[in-house]
Amino acid sequence: MKIWLIGAYGIVSTTAMIGAEAIKKGITSRIGLVSELPHFEGLERYAPFSFEFGGHEIRMLDNAYEAAKEHWELNRHFDREILEAVKEELESVVAKKGTALNCGSGIKELGDIKTLEDEGLSLAEIVLRIEEDIKSFADDETVVVNVASTEPLPRYSEEYHGSLEGFERMIDENRKEFASASMLYAYSALKLGLPYANFTPSCGSSIPALKELAEKNCVPHAGNDGKTGETMVKTTLAPMFAYRNMEIVGWMSYNILGDYDGKVLSARENKESKVLSKDKVLEKMLGYSPYSITEIQYFPSLADNKTAFDFIHFRGFLGKLMKFYFIWDAVDAIVAAPLILDIARFLLFAKKKGVKGVVRELAFFFKSPMDTSVINTHQQFEVLKEWYRKLREEI
Amino acid sequence: MKIWLIGAYGIVSTTAMIGAEAIKKGITSRIGLVSELPHFEGLERYAPFSFEFGGHEIRMLDNAYEAAKEHWELNRHFDREILEAVKEELESVVAKKGTALNCGSGIKELGDIKTLEDEGLSLAEIVLRIEEDIKSFADDETVVVNVASTEPLPRYSEEYHGSLEGFERMIDENRKEFASASMLYAYSALKLGLPYANFTPSCGSSIPALKELAEKNCVPHAGNDGKTGETMVKTTLAPMFAYRNMEIVGWMSYNILGDYDGKVLSARENKESKVLSKDKVLEKMLGYSPYSITEIQYFPSLADNKTAFDFIHFRGFLGKLMKFYFIWDAVDAIVAAPLILDIARFLLFAKKKGVKGVVRELAFFFKSPMDTSVINTHQQFEVLKEWYRKLREEI
Amino acid sequence: MKIWLIGAYGIVSTTAMIGAEAIKKGITSRIGLVSELPHFEGLERYAPFSFEFGGHEIRMLDNAYEAAKEHWELNRHFDREILEAVKEELESVVAKKGTALNCGSGIKELGDIKTLEDEGLSLAEIVLRIEEDIKSFADDETVVVNVASTEPLPRYSEEYHGSLEGFERMIDENRKEFASASMLYAYSALKLGLPYANFTPSCGSSIPALKELAEKNCVPHAGNDGKTGETMVKTTLAPMFAYRNMEIVGWMSYNILGDYDGKVLSARENKESKVLSKDKVLEKMLGYSPYSITEIQYFPSLADNKTAFDFIHFRGFLGKLMKFYFIWDAVDAIVAAPLILDIARFLLFAKKKGVKGVVRELAFFFKSPMDTSVINTHQQFEVLKEWYRKLREEI
Amino acid sequence: MKIWLIGAYGIVSTTAMIGAEAIKKGITSRIGLVSELPHFEGLERYAPFSFEFGGHEIRMLDNAYEAAKEHWELNRHFDREILEAVKEELESVVAKKGTALNCGSGIKELGDIKTLEDEGLSLAEIVLRIEEDIKSFADDETVVVNVASTEPLPRYSEEYHGSLEGFERMIDENRKEFASASMLYAYSALKLGLPYANFTPSCGSSIPALKELAEKNCVPHAGNDGKTGETMVKTTLAPMFAYRNMEIVGWMSYNILGDYDGKVLSARENKESKVLSKDKVLEKMLGYSPYSITEIQYFPSLADNKTAFDFIHFRGFLGKLMKFYFIWDAVDAIVAAPLILDIARFLLFAKKKGVKGVVRELAFFFKSPMDTSVINTHQQFEVLKEWYRKLREEI
C-alpha cells in the first residue's frame, strides 16, 4: 500500500519510513506496531506490511534521507546502521512543496520554508496543486496522513466550514483567512476518495464541511492528534482512580520537548490548540473536572525526547489526600511513527470493508478522537479489537 | 449486615470500621467505596450500607477504639474529629483471642501477643473455639474477612490440604505443622456457611480442601491479597505497553512501609510469600516475563504511608529503549479499608444470589485472584460490572 | 526580643509565632532553627530565644490565633494540640492595618482587605501611621521582618529611589505611583533605627535610597526573598555539577502551590518578580547560563504544601547527556517560619555588634541576597559561621 | 605521564583511555575533568594532559580496543565516531594477565577469566610477576590506579595486615587466605615507588602494612571507592538539611545497574563490601544515624546506566515530616572515567611535591576516603583547592 504524508520530512514521517523499510529487510523487529498484535491477525490480507511513501513538505530538502539524517543527528533515536541500511529507499522519497496557510508564526522556527502560497497562488490554485501532487502518486490503496506541526486554532466560520457547499465557496472566493493548511489537505484527500488521518491537533477533516465530503464520497477518515505520550498514560491511569471511586482533585501535566514541534508550540498561538486538546480528556473520563494544569514548554537539549512530569493529587476513604507522580521519558517519534503505519493500514482495511465517514473506532490512536466520548485507553482498545473482529468476519 | 474481621485491631480493620460509622453519621463521604459507584446501583437492597463488626485478634487491647487510636497516633490518616465521633461505636467492638499458628517469627514484632495455641489447645480445640466465637456473633448476613498480617508460605501437603476429608483428618490428628491460622479461620467460616474473603496473601481458603468445603456448603469465597498499591498501578499500566506492542524489558518495584505489616514482612520467612504473590502478575498480563524486581522493605518513619518506587524499562519501535518512573505515595489502610466493606457486600450479594465456591469475578479486589487469569485491572472491573449486572437481573 | 511582622496574619508569620511559643513551653523541639545549631553557640546572650510579636496586616481578622486557625484548617501543618497550647499567646497578637500600595491585583485574592490608602491617606500620612504603629510596640531589641506577599516589580525611578533625599521628596510630593508597600515599611523601620529583613522578593530596602538610610542611621538590614524550597535545593546541588566540571545544559524548575502566595503569584504581574529572582541563580553559580525554565503555578489542593519538580539535563565526559530529577514535597511555611526567628536574632546580634547597612553575610537565608555574589548554599553557610565567629569574638 | 590500570579492559578504564586520546585529538571537550577546572591552573606543568596506558586484566581479550567495542555495543555511551578515531591508540594497549585472588565468586560472571594463581603460582611468585609487568611499562611519572571489580571484605589479620613486616611474611609463607588481589597490586606499586589510587571499594592500600610501606618509600596513595553516583549526590545534599537544622529521619538509596560490576555485586559476598562503604556516609556527615537503606541490584537492560532512586524523609519546624525524592540517571563509566585521569594527575603532582602516605586531600574523589572525616562534597572540594593552591606555591 501507499502512504502520502503531510510533513513528509518531519521526524515522525521519516521514522515511520525507516521502520517500515527496516522491518521489510528484517533488520529490526515489529515492536511498537499495534497492527501486528495477534488480535489483528488477518489484516495483512487487506493492508499488507509493505509501503510506498510520498508526501508534501515546506522544508525543501533533497529527499527523505537528508531529513532523516538531520533528525538522527539530533536524536540518535535508533542505530545508525539502520539508517544506512535504508538509505536508498529513503533517498527515493522526494516531497512536493506544500502549503502552510495560517499555520501561525511558529513555523518560522522550522528555518527556511517554501510554500505554495508564497508563489501567490489562490486557494483554488493551491488545492489544485495539492490534488495533482497526490494524484500523481496515489493508487486505490493509498492513505493520506497528516503529521505536520500543530496549527493555531482556526477561526471557525459557520458559513464556510459548516457545509461542503460553503467550504467550496470559500475556495472559490479565495477567503484565505478562513482556510488552514490541514483543511486543504484533508479536502483534497477526501475529494480524491483517499482515506485521511489527522495525526496532529490541527483541525484537518473535523469540520462539518469535510465530514460531509467524506460521507458523500464514501471515504473513511480519522483523527485528531496522535496519542503518544503523557495523554496515553493519563487515559490509561485516570480510570484506575475512577474504578476505585477515588476523587482526583488535581492533575498537573508538565511536558518539555526540544524538537521542531516544540519550537512551533513555543510560539504562543500554536500552543493554545495543543493545550486545549489535552484539557478535555480528564473531564470526559471522570465525569467531573479536577483542577488541572497542562503545559508544554520548549527545552532544546531534549530534542525529540519529549518528557512528561505528572502529579496527581487524589482523595481516598475518609477524605485522605494522597499523591501519585510519574515521569514519562520517551522519544516521541518512536512512539508515534509505528502508529502512522497502523492507522494507514486500518483505514485501508476500513475502506475495503465499505466503511465511510469518521471511524470512531480508531479513537485508540488519538488524543481528541472525533465523534466519540470513549477516551479510556482500555475501552478504546476493546472497541478497536471488536470493530476489527466484526468487520473481518463480514464478507 | 455483619462483618467478622480476622485481625480486628489492625489498621485496615479499624479504618474500615471508622469509615463505615462515619459515613452512617454523615460526617464523611463515600469516596473510596467501589460498591457505591453508580454501576452497582441496587446493591443496597441485598447488602445495605450498615455494618456491625466483630473479630479475632492476637493483640489483646481493650477494644477497637484503643487500637484505632494507636494507629491514628502513628498515621494521622484522617481527621481526629472523626475518630472521636465514632468512639462509642468502636469501643463496643471487642475482639476474641485468635490463633497465630505457624504465622512465622515476624508476628513477634506486633508486641505482646496472646493466642489460643498458647493455652495448649489442640487443632480441634482451636477450631472449636474459633467457631464458637464466630457463632456467638454471626447471623445469616455475616461475612468473614481475613485482614491479618501475612503468614509464611505454608508447607503444602497433598494428604492434608488436597481434600476436605484430609483436612479434617489433619485437625483430628492434631498435625499442627501442616496447619496455619488463615486456613483454620477459613475452614471455620465456610463450615458455618459464612462467606469468607482472604484479603491477605496468606493461603486462607485457597487450598483444595477448603474449596471443596465451600462448594459442599454452597458458600461463596474470594481472595487473595488485597490489591491496594503498587500492584494496582502495575496491573493498570502494564496493559498500555501491551496494547501498543511495546516490550517491557525490566520492571523494578521497590516498596517501603513502616507499619506492623512492614515489621512482619521484614522477617524474611514472611516476606517470601508477599514477594511471590507480586511476581506472577506481569507474566500473566504480558505473556512473557520481563526482568523484574519486587522488594518490600521496612521504613519506620513512614508508618502506614506505604510508598512505591517503580521503574519500567521498555522498548519501542526500531528497538529504542525508553523509561517510565512512578511514585505511589499513599496510605495503605486508606486504600484498603473501603474494599473490606465492598468485598463483604459483594459476597453477601453473591450468597443471596446462590453463588457458591470461588467468586472469580471479584478478582478486581485482589493481587492474586483465585482461579482466574484476569489480572488487567480494567478487564477485572468490566468483569465485576457484568457479573453484578447479570446476577442482579436474575430473579 | 520583639519581632514586628509585615503580613502578621500570613501563614509564615503565624507559624513562626506558634513555633516560638511552643518551644518556650517545651512542647516542640528546636528542629529547623539555624540559630540553634552548635555553630552559633552564644547567640542566646545577644538575642535570647524569647519573642514578643506584633505587626501590620491588610486582612483584618481578630487576632493571630484566628489567622493561625484558618491556616491550620487548610494545611494541618502541625499537631492541633500545639495550636491550642499557644492560643492565649496568639490571641494577644493583634495586627495594625497596613498598606498594600502598588501590590498588584493579585492581593485581591486574599479576600476582604483593608488598607491605609483606602482611607484616602497621602504617602506622608501612610508613613506616619506605620511609624506610630511600630513605635507603640518596639523597644531597643526589636526587628522588623517583611513576610507579606510578593509585590509586582516596581517602576524604578532614579529620581525618587536613587537617594534618600529623593525618596523623602517622593513622599512629600505624594508620588504614589513610584512607591510600594515594602519600601514604605522598610523606610519606616530603618528610620526608627530598627533592623529590617525583607523575606519577600518585593523590593523592600534594596533601593539605593534605603541603603543610604540604613548606613546613615547605623542600622543593619538584609534580604531578599527567603530561600525555602526549590532554590535552596538548586543552590545546594548545582555546585556539585560545577565541581565535577560537568555542564548543565538545561534546568527545569516547576513549582506548584495552593496558598495565598500562590493565588497572588497567579496574577501575572506579581508572578514576574518571583520568576526573575529565581532565574539569576544558576548563572551566578555556574558562570554561564544554561537553558532554564522557572515556573510557579497555582494548585489549590496543595495549600501551602509547595511542591517542586526539577529536571537537570547535564553533559559529562565524552559529551554524554545524562539526567537528574528531584521532587521537593514540603510545607513552605514550615521551612520558612524558623528562618524568621533566625534572621531576627542575627540582625539583633549584628546591631549590638555595631554592624550597619546590608548584612551580606546573611545571604544564606535569601534567594536574591543583596550586594553579594555568594549564591552557593555551602559557601553561604561557611560565610555565616565565620561572620558570627569573628563578630562574637570582638568585644 | 603513564597510567597503569588494574582492570584495564573494564568500562571505566577503556572510557578513560578513549577520552584521553579523543581530547588529545581535539575531537571531544574536557567536560568532566576536575583537573581542568580553572582552580587547578598550572597542574599541566607537573602532570601534562598526555597519557600512556598499560595494565593488568583477567579477561584476556586482544587489546583495549576490543574491550572498548564490547562495552560500547552494550552502552552506546558516546559517539561511535570517537571510538573509531582512537582505534589505533587503544589497539596498542595490551594488558598483562593479573590476579583475582579472593575476589569472590562474583567474578565468574565476567565470563572466561585467566589469572596468575591459575598457573599455580605462590604469593611470592604472583607479586614478582606483577612487579615485572609494571616495571616493564613504568617510568618516573607513572601512577597505578585500581578500577577492578569490587572484592569481598577480606578477612582482616592483625598479624599479616598490621605491619609491613607481617605482610611480607604472609607473602613468604604463602598464606593466600589472607591476601587479596587489590592488596597485592597496591603492595607492588608502592614497593616500586609508584603512587597508587584505589578507585574500588576493595581494601587496596588501606591496611596498616601498606600505609607503612607508602610512608617508608615516600609514595603518595589515595582511595577508596570512586564517588560517582548516588553517594556523590548524597554527600552534596545531606549537608543542606544539616545547615538548616532539619532532621533526616530516613534515607532510602536504591541503586540498579546492569554492567559487569552489577553482575559481580549481585553475588552476595561481594555486595557486602559495597553496601558497607555507603552506609557510614550519612552518620559521618550528620553526627547521627538516620534509618537508612542502601541497596544495589542487578538490572541487565540498563547496562552501565546506573540509576539511583533516593527518598529522604525529613523533619522540620514543629515536628513536621516532609519528603524529598531524587532520581540519578547517568552512565557510571562516564562519570568515573575522567576521575581516573584527575586522580593520576593529582597523585603525580603530589609525588613531585614530596607528599608521601595517604593524600587525604583527595577525599573529593572517593566514597570512603582514607584517614579523614571530611565527607561533605563541598568541604572536600574546598580542601582539594586549598591543598593544590598551597602545594603549588611551594617551591
Side-chain angles (χ1 to χ4, degrees), chain B residues 98 106 108 163 206 240 345 387 390:
Chain B
K108 283 176 206 151
S163 70
S206 61
M240 179 185 81
R345 296 177 86 189
W387 172 78
K390 281 199 177 144

Side-chain angles (χ1 to χ4, degrees), chain C residues 130-176:
Chain C
I130 293 175
E131 284 176 22
E132 282 170 357
D133 290 339
I134 300 180
K135 260 197 289 189
S136 71
F137 167 85
D139 60 10
D140 249 21
E141 305 210 323
T142 298
V143 172
V144 175
V145 185
N146 187 348
V147 282
S149 286
T150 309
E151 297 170 2
L153 278 179
R155 189 171 147 193
Y156 184 75
S157 151
E158 185 52 38
E159 184 183 356
Y160 294 128
H161 301 155
S163 69
L164 179 55
E165 180 276 332
F167 191 85
E168 296 190 326
R169 193 150 36 77
M170 171 189 78
I171 293 173
D172 290 344
E173 296 175 3
N174 198 26
R175 300 298 301 267
K176 283 188 175 167

Side-chain angles (χ1 to χ4, degrees), chain D residues 36-68:
Chain D
E36 291 290 308
L37 286 170
H39 310 288
F40 305 109
E41 214 214 302
L43 182 62
E44 185 69 15
R45 265 188 297 134
Y46 300 88
F49 196 87
S50 173
F51 305 93
E52 204 174 311
F53 298 97
H56 278 109
E57 249 299 339
I58 56 173
R59 294 196 313 130
M60 293 287 87
L61 306 171
D62 286 351
N63 54 54
Y65 174 76
E66 291 306 311

Side-chain angles (χ1 to χ4, degrees), chain D residues 384-395:
Chain D
L384 178 65
K385 283 195 301 184
E386 192 58 14
W387 172 77
Y388 175 76
R389 199 185 54 75
K390 282 200 178 143
L391 269 187
R392 190 193 161 195
E393 283 166 7
E394 284 177 14
I395 314 150

Side-chain angles (χ1 to χ4, degrees), chain A residues 15-20 22-23 28-37 49 75-79 82 227-229 232-233 235-237 239-247 314-335 337-339 341 364-366 376-379 381-382 385, chain B residues 15-20 22-23 28-37 49 75-79 82 227-229 232-233 235-237 239-247 314-335 337-339 341 364-366 376-379 381-382 385:
Chain A
T15 305
M17 293 175 203
I18 289 163
I23 288 167
T28 195
S29 80
R30 289 170 193 236
I31 284 177
L33 285 156
V34 175
S35 57
E36 291 291 306
L37 286 170
F49 196 88
N75 288 287
R76 315 281 164 127
H77 47 321
F78 45 79
D79 286 351
I82 295 178
K227 184 153 86 171
T228 54
M232 182 169 69
V233 183
T235 53
T236 300
L237 209 54
M240 179 186 81
F241 296 96
Y243 300 160
R244 287 293 175 92
N245 203 4
M246 295 193 285
E247 185 197 0
F314 64 101
R315 194 187 298 281
F317 201 50
L318 287 161
K320 178 70 184 171
L321 280 171
M322 299 178 283
K323 295 172 178 180
F324 186 85
Y325 309 85
F326 74 78
I327 298 170
W328 166 262
D329 170 18
V331 177
D332 205 45
I334 288 295
V335 184
L339 306 185
L341 308 178
F364 177 67
F365 297 104
F366 299 106
N376 176 326
T377 295
H378 310 276
Q379 281 173 18
F381 190 64
E382 292 304 315
K385 283 195 302 184
Chain B
T15 305
M17 293 175 203
I18 290 163
I23 288 167
T28 194
S29 80
R30 291 171 191 235
I31 285 177
L33 285 157
V34 175
S35 58
E36 292 291 308
L37 286 170
F49 197 87
N75 288 287
R76 316 281 164 127
H77 46 322
F78 46 80
D79 286 351
I82 296 179
K227 185 154 87 170
T228 54
M232 182 170 68
V233 182
T235 54
T236 300
L237 208 54
M240 179 185 81
F241 296 96
Y243 302 158
R244 286 292 175 94
N245 203 4
M246 296 194 284
E247 186 197 1
F314 64 101
R315 193 186 300 280
F317 201 50
L318 287 161
K320 179 70 184 172
L321 281 171
M322 298 177 284
K323 295 171 178 181
F324 187 85
Y325 310 84
F326 75 78
I327 297 170
W328 167 261
D329 170 18
V331 177
D332 206 44
I334 288 295
V335 185
L339 306 185
L341 308 179
F364 178 66
F365 297 103
F366 300 105
N376 176 325
T377 295
H378 311 275
Q379 281 174 17
F381 189 65
E382 293 302 316
K385 282 194 302 184

Side-chain angles (χ1 to χ4, degrees), chain C residues 10 54 90 97 178 207 224 258 264 296 322 330 348 376:
Chain C
L90 264 81
K97 178 158 63 173
F178 293 104
I207 53 175
N224 295 321
V264 172
I296 306 181
M322 299 178 283
L348 179 55
N376 176 327

Side-chain angles (χ1 to χ4, degrees), chain C residues 195-381:
Chain C
Y196 173 83
N198 203 48
F199 204 72
T200 83
S202 307
C203 98
S205 61
S206 60
I207 53 175
L210 299 180
K211 287 182 179 173
E212 186 187 332
L213 175 59
E215 292 285 343
K216 185 182 143 207
N217 281 9
C218 295
V219 202
H221 62 123
N224 295 321
D225 202 5
K227 185 153 86 169
T228 55
E230 186 263 318
T231 307
M232 181 170 70
V233 183
K234 191 182 258 181
T235 53
T236 299
L237 208 54
M240 178 185 82
F241 296 95
Y243 300 159
R244 285 294 174 91
N245 203 5
M246 294 194 284
E247 185 198 0
I248 294 174
V249 295
W251 192 309
M252 174 202 103
S253 301
Y254 196 70
N255 297 269
I256 51 176
L257 77 172
D259 56 9
Y260 285 129
D261 199 33
K263 275 194 190 163
V264 172
L265 287 170
S266 67
R268 179 67 59 172
E269 62 191 310
N270 300 52
K271 201 170 160 178
E272 299 293 286
S273 73
K274 191 81 178 184
V275 168
L276 265 189
S277 87
K278 292 190 131 197
D279 260 346
K280 290 171 265 171
V281 152
L282 283 177
E283 189 173 0
K284 279 191 186 161
M285 273 185 304
L286 300 171
Y288 60 92
S289 246
Y291 182 87
S292 78
I293 292 174
T294 305
E295 279 203 63
I296 306 181
Q297 290 285 358
Y298 182 55
F299 198 94
S301 60
L302 283 176
D304 200 52
N305 177 187
K306 198 196 272 185
T307 302
F309 300 83
D310 279 53
F311 164 62
I312 304 156
H313 209 188
F314 64 101
R315 194 187 299 281
F317 202 48
L318 286 161
K320 179 69 183 171
L321 280 171
M322 299 178 283
K323 294 171 178 180
F324 187 85
Y325 309 85
F326 74 78
I327 297 170
W328 167 261
D329 170 18
V331 177
D332 206 45
I334 288 294
V335 184
L339 306 185
I340 302 307
L341 308 178
D342 291 329
I343 293 168
R345 295 178 84 188
F346 282 118
L347 279 177
L348 179 55
F349 168 76
K351 185 185 176 189
K352 291 189 175 176
K353 285 296 189 180
V355 175
K356 64 180 181 178
V358 173
V359 190
R360 56 179 65 81
E361 291 88 351
L362 295 181
F364 178 66
F365 296 103
F366 299 104
K367 283 198 193 82
S368 307
M370 279 192 279
D371 295 357
T372 177
S373 59
V374 181
I375 297 290
N376 176 327
T377 296
H378 311 276
Q379 281 173 18
Q380 288 173 337
F381 189 65

